[in-house]
Amino acid sequence: MIIIVNGRRVGSKETGCALCGATWGEYYEEADGERLFFCCDLCAKGFRSIVNEAKRRNWDHVDEAVINGNFNMGRNCTVKRGGEEYRFYVKFNDDAEISIFRELS
């Protein structure tokens, strides 16, 4: 899976957390069959929510996730599979649960 956060490819310790881009921490979790780096368990939980929103569209996997924003502003997400893409805005609370969600055109 290709993951772009705020214009930069991420997902490994060297490139940064798959949700926020941070390089501190030592948390790894599997998503769609890939071992991804996260700075913490909360970022992993938020990222899983983004992937799960795409899977609600009956997608079996995500090829690419483009995430722009941060915790305070919320995030504009574009997830892609094959030639399809799904765009939405998401904001998480302090427990990495979705507090605001809206589809984007």
Side-chain angles (χ1 to χ4, degrees), residues 85-103:
E85 84 176 24
Y86 180 46
R87 298 179 64 232
F88 56 91
Y89 168 85
V90 66
K91 186 164 173 122
F92 300 108
N93 64 21
D94 290 341
D95 295 319
E97 296 165 344
I98 294 174
S99 60
I100 300 172
F101 178 88
R102 62 177 181 262
E103 292 185 349

Side-chain angles (χ1 to χ4, degrees), residues 63-80:
D63 293 324
E64 183 175 353
V66 179
I67 304 166
N68 290 298
N70 59 40
F71 176 79
N72 291 317
M73 295 178 359
R75 293 172 168 93
N76 289 312
C77 304
T78 303
V79 289
K80 301 175 184 180

